[in-house]
Amino acid sequence: HKRPIIMLINLSNHPSEKWSDLQLRAASEQFCKVVDLPFPDISPDGDELYIEEIANDYFDKIESLSSKYGCKPTIHLMGEMNFTCNLLVKLINAGYECVASTTRRETIERADGIRESTFRFVRFRKYMI
C-alpha cells in the first residue's frame, strides 16, 4: 500500500487532534500529513466586503502553507457558509482540490424532550462547482 503524497490543510472549527479514530484513519489513508489552520471567527454583522477580505487573507495563508511545504495541498473546508463559499471559489479557481467531511447524524430524544445529536464521520467528499 503506497503512502499518499498529498497534504491536507484542515480549515474547520474542529482541530484534527479532536477528530474521531475513523476520521483520523481516513485522513492518514488519503493524505501524507494534516496541518490545522484555525477557522476564523466570522462576525454575523459583517457585510460581503468583510467576508471577501477574510477570504482573501485565508487564501494568502493557504498559498503560504503551500510554499512552505512545497506542494499543492487538498483543503478540508467546513464552516460559516458565506466565507466557505467565497474561499472555495478562489481555491478551486487556483487549482486546489477541496473536500468536506460528511457525517451521519444520530439523534436521541431524552425523556425531558431535549434532543441530543451526535455526528459520526463517514468520508471526505470533494467539492464540485
Side-chain angles (χ1 to χ4, degrees), residues 58-97:
Y58 273 75
F59 181 84
D60 291 345
K61 288 179 183 192
I62 290 166
E63 289 273 272
S64 178
L65 284 170
S66 296
S67 294
K68 176 181 176 181
Y69 289 100
C71 67
K72 194 154 218 149
T74 294
I75 314 302
H76 175 241
L77 182 57
M78 301 282 295
E80 196 277 339
M81 291 305 299
N82 292 114
F83 169 79
T84 295
C85 185
N86 189 302
L87 182 57
L88 179 67
V89 170
K90 292 176 191 319
L91 290 168
I92 288 177
N93 286 340
Y96 288 92
E97 183 169 282

Side-chain angles (χ1 to χ4, degrees), residues 11-29:
L11 179 51
S12 75
N13 287 305
H14 304 280
S16 60
E17 67 187 21
K18 295 185 178 182
W19 285 357
S20 68
D21 289 343
L22 184 61
Q23 189 168 3
L24 287 169
R25 191 168 42 256
S28 70
E29 289 171 1

